[in-house]
Amino acid sequence: MPTYRLDLAYDGTGFHGYARQPGVRTVQGELEDALFKHTGPVETSVAGRTDAGVHGRHQTVSFSADDLEPDRLWRSLNSQLGPEIAISSVSRATDDFDARFSALSRRYRYFIHSAPVPDPLTRLYTWHVPHALDVADMTEAAAAFVGEHDFASLCRAAEGRTTVRTVLEASWRRAGPQVLYDVRALAFCHQMVRSMVALCVEVGRGRLAAEDVPAVLAARDRNAARGAAPAHGLVLWAVEYGDAS
């Protein structure tokens, strides 16, 4: 049975996360319901299961089905799912392609609006922090995340699953009133990026020293962290695959 790849984006505001859940709207639920008209019941695989309110600039999904016409499916899905979900491409993939397990890395970006008053036009996609933030200190704090670490202090634990992750890049930068966090890792655990952001904001406000961040990680205790930043500022920015995908 052929394997297909979907590349898509979505505004997470109206969804209870990516993964299908009974009784609530989810991206997976809407997508699989739209696919049903072409494939019947179908099981999809996804690169990253985003939380409620988190957005996706570039998400990837794969599934197996009988022969489909990619262009026709692309038009149909967009007509059913837009404007909250937009399918940028539908393509036939190699038989061994899996959106989750074939991914080499995931990149997230977090948006903060650092100004005395909020911006009504970006409020659904940025976290308003009405305080001055020291971006250099925040980048120093984020440097402690790079490498292989046990992120138990920064993850909501899932029973029987490891919280060890490998972070490849992590940095902050300012763009006008916005402060942006870019982080790339092989994979992430639940609430990991949002917890990184909350911890770095504490550093940026001067309420925690950058040199204290390694000790927070070493504690491997959720109570050692500073909570999680709001979901609506977070975007799954990109997923990296090998050339064969």
Side-chain angles (χ1 to χ4, degrees):
M1 187 175 291
T3 298
Y4 296 89
R5 168 176 169 167
L6 305 179
D7 291 282
L8 62 149
Y10 49 87
D11 179 341
T13 305
F15 297 105
H16 290 259
Y18 178 83
R20 182 185 284 275
Q21 302 174 56
V24 294
R25 289 185 79 228
T26 67
V27 179
Q28 183 181 23
E30 297 291 304
L31 177 61
E32 290 184 351
D33 287 350
L35 281 171
F36 182 86
K37 299 178 181 180
H38 301 269
T39 64
V42 64
E43 182 176 349
T44 60
S45 177
V46 68
R49 295 175 57 174
T50 52
D51 293 339
V54 175
H55 314 290
R57 171 182 174 266
H58 193 156
Q59 176 72 278
T60 302
V61 169
S62 62
F63 63 94
S64 296
D66 291 329
D67 285 337
L68 298 169
E69 296 181 24
D71 287 346
R72 180 183 176 192
L73 181 60
W74 173 77
R75 290 191 298 270
S76 175
L77 292 178
N78 279 313
S79 68
Q80 295 178 71
L81 298 171
E84 288 176 289
I85 302 172
I87 311 298
S88 58
S89 67
V90 178
S91 59
R92 175 81 177 263
T94 58
D95 290 344
D96 61 349
F97 177 75
D98 183 282
R100 177 185 176 190
F101 295 108
S102 299
L104 301 179
S105 69
R106 288 92 171 155
R107 182 185 296 274
Y108 280 87
R109 179 170 292 178
Y110 196 94
F111 293 80
I112 292 175
H113 184 73
S114 176
V117 296
D119 179 354
L121 300 183
T122 65
R123 65 184 179 83
L124 296 179
Y125 310 103
T126 61
W127 176 23
H128 175 230
V129 177
H131 309 285
L133 295 174
D134 189 315
V135 175
D137 284 352
M138 293 166 73
T139 289
E140 182 182 348
F145 303 142
V146 177
E148 183 181 278
H149 303 285
D150 188 336
F151 285 93
S153 294
L154 301 180
C155 291
R156 178 179 287 182
E159 187 175 353
R161 301 186 66 179
T162 182
T163 49
V164 174
R165 296 291 188 274
T166 300
V167 173
L168 304 173
E169 305 171 32
S171 64
W172 288 88
R173 62 185 173 90
R174 183 178 293 278
Q178 291 195 347
V179 178
L180 310 178
Y181 180 53
D182 281 296
V183 60
R184 183 169 69 95
L186 303 184
F188 295 89
C189 49
H190 190 202
Q191 290 192 349
M192 179 173 159
V193 179
R194 291 165 54 200
S195 298
M196 288 174 161
V197 170
L199 188 60
C200 287
V201 166
E202 291 292 280
V203 173
R205 292 182 60 187
R207 293 159 55 123
L208 184 72
E211 53 265 31
D212 292 335
V213 171
V216 173
L217 287 179
R220 291 183 291 178
D221 180 357
R222 197 75 177 95
N223 294 320
R226 302 300 173 99
H232 65 270
L234 184 59
V235 181
L236 175 59
W237 199 252
V239 183
E240 180 188 5
Y241 292 98
D243 294 340
S245 301

